[in-house]
Amino acid sequence: MSFGQGGPQSQWDPWTPQSQQQSQQPQSQQPWNSGNSDNTPDWAALAEASEARAKRRRLFFIGGGALATVAIASAVAVAVVSANGSDQASDGPSSQLPSTADIPSATATDPSFAPTSAPPPLDPKDFVSSAKKDKAPLGPDLLFPGTQLTMGETVYKKGPTADTRTCGSAAQGTLPTVLDANKCTRLIRVTYTKGDTAVTVGVAVFDNEAQATKAKKDADKKSIVRSLSGGGVKSFCTGAVCRSTTNSYGRYAYFTVAGFTGGKDVTEKSTGVFRAGDDLAEFAFRQIRRRGEAQASAAAETG
């Protein structure tokens, strides 16, 4: 290939130093250009420009990296400052930290409250254990109301009643002495019948529970309440063998005497008589206890 007139052109490789030195020309001349105006590039100038650009890029990368590092450091600093805001813990002095009392404890217990339980209920027995508290009206028809008594499937007809202040006169055997010795103040009696079986219940009244309990203890097999007849009820247990019971509750001692109205003796086979005596003793106990319950309830309502 020819690039115009002027003699043979040396072959120059711009990337080989020897050829570059050989091709160097005075600055007033264009390298290996014979004057042809085809704008052939100046490879040496291009190489120098390329090297200069490479250096500028390296400087830019170094400078840009430094700027990026500064920017990242600034961002981290901002993040640290934000993290150390008022809502987070700080590395300040301990005096700026919340007090121990303000910090919830993992071992803290639930708040306790004073107990508000209701007062214990009144004991009904207290109201029938002494004359000072046992103030409700008392009488044969109040203690044994109605005209008949039903215990389970058995119905008893109510007969005559009696109320005496001289307790010994309404008892027989050793019972008068027992009642007088323990200062009985009143003896209430009532008779119930079922067929030819009759039962008299006697409730002796004392001033306090201790006297009634001692009267029960002092009574023996010969301590018998006097049977009460009349009003259609024939005499019974005046000479025949009868069955009797003794017990107490509060300031009351209660007795029963049960037998046949026809004068027949009571034997171990007289199951109806035994059952009648037990039923009336149970009823006497329930009525005395109900008396205490009624007074305890009234006292609780009045405060």
Side-chain angles (χ1 to χ4, degrees), residues 98-109:
S99 63
T100 304
D102 296 333
I103 301 176
S105 173
T107 60
T109 57

Side-chain angles (χ1 to χ4, degrees), residues 53-133:
R53 286 194 300 272
K55 290 181 180 180
R56 287 196 300 272
R57 283 197 298 270
R58 287 195 296 271
L59 292 175
F60 176 77
F61 290 152
I62 294 172
L67 292 175
T69 302
V70 172
I72 293 173
S74 299
V76 172
V78 172
V80 171
V81 171
S82 298
N84 290 331
S86 60
D87 293 338
Q88 302 292 334
S90 68
D91 56 356
S94 59
S95 61
Q96 297 178 1
L97 298 177
S99 63
T100 304
D102 296 333
I103 301 176
S105 173
T107 60
T109 57
D110 294 335
S112 59
F113 301 93
T116 58
S117 58
L122 300 176
D123 186 358
K125 190 177 181 181
D126 289 343
F127 290 84
V128 291
S129 294
S130 69
K132 293 180 180 180
K133 297 187 70 172

Side-chain angles (χ1 to χ4, degrees), residues 92-209:
S94 59
S95 61
Q96 297 178 1
L97 298 177
S99 63
T100 304
D102 296 333
I103 301 176
S105 173
T107 60
T109 57
D110 294 335
S112 59
F113 301 93
T116 58
S117 58
L122 300 176
D123 186 358
K125 190 177 181 181
D126 289 343
F127 290 84
V128 291
S129 294
S130 69
K132 293 180 180 180
K133 297 187 70 172
D134 189 10
K135 298 295 185 179
L138 179 64
D141 291 330
L142 295 174
L143 199 57
F144 301 99
T147 58
Q148 64 181 30
L149 169 65
T150 301
M151 296 290 289
E153 298 180 354
T154 305
V155 178
Y156 299 95
K157 183 179 179 181
K158 182 180 176 182
T161 61
D163 186 2
T164 180
R165 302 288 177 169
T166 55
C167 299
S169 64
Q172 57 184 352
T174 58
L175 186 56
T177 302
V178 172
L179 298 177
D180 292 340
N182 291 287
K183 300 180 179 180
C184 174
T185 60
R186 191 173 181 180
L187 183 58
I188 297 173
R189 291 180 296 165
V190 61
T191 295
Y192 288 89
T193 60
K194 182 182 182 301
D196 60 350
T197 299
V199 181
T200 294
V201 182
V203 179
V205 184
F206 301 86
D207 287 337
N208 54 62
E209 182 179 9

Side-chain angles (χ1 to χ4, degrees), residues 259-276:
F260 295 105
T261 56
K264 186 172 61 174
D265 291 339
V266 174
T267 67
E268 294 180 356
K269 296 181 180 180
S270 305
T271 56
V273 175
F274 279 81
R275 183 170 57 253

